[in-house]
Amino acid sequence: MAFAELCGAPLVTTLMARGSFPDSHPQNLGMPGMHGTVAAVTALQKADLLITLGARFDDRVTGKLSTFAPNARIIHADIDPAEIGKNRYVDVPIVGDLRETLSELAPALQAEFAAGHQPDLGGWWKQCNSWRSTFPLGYDIPEDGTLSPQYVIERLGKIAGPDAIYAAGVGQHQMWAAQFVSYEKPRTWLNSGGLGTMGYAVPAAMGAKVGRPETAVWAIDGDGCFQMTNQELATCAINNIPIKVAVINNESLGMVRQWQTLFYNSRYSNTDLHSKRIPDFAKLADAMGCIGLRCEKAEDVDATIAKAMEINDQPVVVDFSVHRDAMVWPMVAAGTSNDEIMIARELAPDWDSQDL
């Protein structure tokens, strides 16, 4: 964090790095990548220098690789030499432990600044802040009165707070948990990232609760992911591991359904799980020795989360019945350039209004 503040430049934190730099810090533009913020994605794309710490330049961040950050020089620090230059040409490779690397880079940078070699970033910050204010994260409230999944996760983050630990599975709920919970501290976000492990949330939350028994630990799971490992609720009940599980239940394998909607003319195949009542997750929780709750209305969200937060002697499962057609935005479609980021379906930023 000290090195980032010393640089004074815009900073982005990848999916796996959420919490390593406070979301509230003015230098933090958010998460880059396929479902990153417009400001983070575009700042990477338009930058002339990227200082990349422990990242892989995978396609979920770069988009179409040949179009990624075309004018940027790259300083890449990583402990694994195989990652250096693997996907993107690197101008300055640094192989080593980041703790040691940054401890040497920081005084070298301070010396350069003291010698009068500090860049004027005023214009660049003006542009980045324009992107940030013009294209903030947001979501629509369903017109049919059903529950918005983004609203549920946003309120969960507010009520449980920045001291809680959040573990997410894979899919839409994973992206919404990365977008709409404000992460202020390291090691409060657990995720399988590129491994793509459905069913990760519950076991990860179990481990976190055993390691930090005094901390509220939430598994944010989709109804598909939850059915991979929900049998471990019995382990939690038997061994007194009182995790809390928020099931974002849209009756679907949501991310696959989103792609089928957008790219396959709504030809849905094997994505409908019929999971609003089969299984009944609240009853399943009860059968496993846990407390089962259900929430279907926006006006009940806060009270339901608060009730779950009050229970600390048993695992709790909250079945949030949410709108099934909600989508994750922004989005860079697979195989396209980050320049083609969409802020909503068929809506791209109006770059003509931006002073690039």
Side-chain angles (χ1 to χ4, degrees):
M1 180 173 172
F3 179 76
E5 290 181 314
L6 177 63
C7 290
L11 179 140
V12 302
T13 53
T14 60
L15 174 66
M16 292 295 287
R18 304 290 289 117
S20 61
F21 196 79
D23 280 359
S24 61
H25 196 288
Q27 281 179 245
N28 194 341
L29 296 184
M31 181 179 73
M34 178 175 280
H35 294 295
T37 68
V38 171
V41 171
T42 311
L44 283 181
Q45 199 68 358
K46 306 299 182 184
D48 57 13
L49 173 66
L50 298 180
I51 302 174
T52 307
L53 306 175
R56 296 184 296 121
F57 291 101
D58 63 282
D59 63 352
R60 290 301 175 99
V61 169
T62 66
K64 186 178 180 180
L65 186 60
S66 62
T67 68
F68 174 69
N71 300 314
R73 293 187 176 185
I74 308 291
I75 300 172
H76 187 188
D78 200 289
I79 198 170
D80 183 0
E83 292 295 337
I84 304 291
K86 183 178 74 175
N87 295 325
R88 177 65 154 78
Y89 174 78
V90 173
D91 296 276
V92 180
I94 304 173
V95 178
D97 186 293
L98 283 182
R99 186 187 301 273
E100 298 173 5
T101 299
L102 292 177
S103 68
E104 294 187 23
L105 281 177
L109 189 62
Q110 286 175 320
E112 285 293 312
F113 286 174
H117 301 151
Q118 189 162 0
D120 179 4
L121 299 178
W124 179 231
W125 266 116
K126 181 179 179 181
Q127 178 61 85
C128 291
N129 285 328
S130 175
W131 290 325
R132 178 157 51 185
S133 61
T134 305
F135 305 108
L137 286 174
Y139 55 90
D140 294 325
I141 301 298
E143 295 180 356
D144 61 1
T146 54
L147 197 53
S148 163
Q150 299 98 320
Y151 176 75
V152 169
I153 293 172
E154 185 176 55
R155 294 306 302 158
L156 175 58
K158 294 288 187 184
I159 295 170
D163 291 322
I165 294 173
Y166 304 87
V170 172
Q172 288 182 315
H173 68 279
Q174 172 192 28
M175 295 296 103
W176 289 322
Q179 290 177 333
F180 291 104
V181 175
S182 181
Y183 297 97
E184 298 294 319
K185 300 180 180 181
R187 295 176 290 278
T188 55
W189 164 249
L190 303 177
N191 197 245
S192 66
L195 195 60
T197 310
M198 291 183 70
Y200 170 89
V202 169
M206 289 169 57
K209 189 63 178 177
V210 170
R212 296 277 297 276
E214 75 288 353
T215 301
V217 179
W218 279 91
I220 301 175
D221 231 348
D223 48 307
C225 279
F226 186 54
Q227 294 188 69
M228 300 283 183
T229 51
N230 60 27
Q231 67 273 16
E232 298 299 342
L233 292 175
T235 306
C236 291
I238 292 168
N239 292 281
N240 189 30
I241 308 173
I243 66 170
K244 308 179 194 301
V245 183
V247 181
I248 308 302
N249 186 354
N250 62 0
E251 295 188 276
S252 302
L253 296 176
M255 188 60 83
V256 182
R257 179 182 171 85
Q258 175 167 334
W259 281 49
Q260 289 176 346
T261 300
L262 294 175
F263 309 121
Y264 296 92
N265 296 320
S266 299
R267 295 193 300 272
Y268 300 117
S269 175
N270 299 294
T271 52
D272 192 346
L273 300 181
H274 306 283
S275 47
K276 286 291 174 75
R277 291 294 181 266
I278 303 175
D280 185 317
F281 292 128
K283 290 182 179 178
L284 177 67
D286 290 339
M288 293 283 195
C290 308
I291 302 296
L293 305 174
R294 179 175 289 110
C295 182
E296 298 177 337
K297 299 178 181 179
E299 56 266 29
D300 296 333
V301 168
D302 283 15
T304 304
I305 295 171
K307 184 175 181 179
M309 290 293 291
E310 292 170 357
I311 300 170
N312 294 306
D313 57 351
Q314 284 180 274
V316 182
V317 175
V318 185
D319 183 358
F320 289 101
S321 180
V322 302
H323 187 68
R324 75 179 312 178
D325 290 319
M327 292 191 185
V328 183
W329 302 109
M331 182 176 187
V332 179
T336 67
S337 169
N338 283 346
D339 290 325
E340 301 175 61
I341 188 171
M342 297 181 290
I343 55 175
R345 189 170 184 172
E346 300 177 355
L347 291 176
D350 180 10
W351 298 124
D352 290 339
S353 68
Q354 302 297 304
D355 183 22
L356 296 179

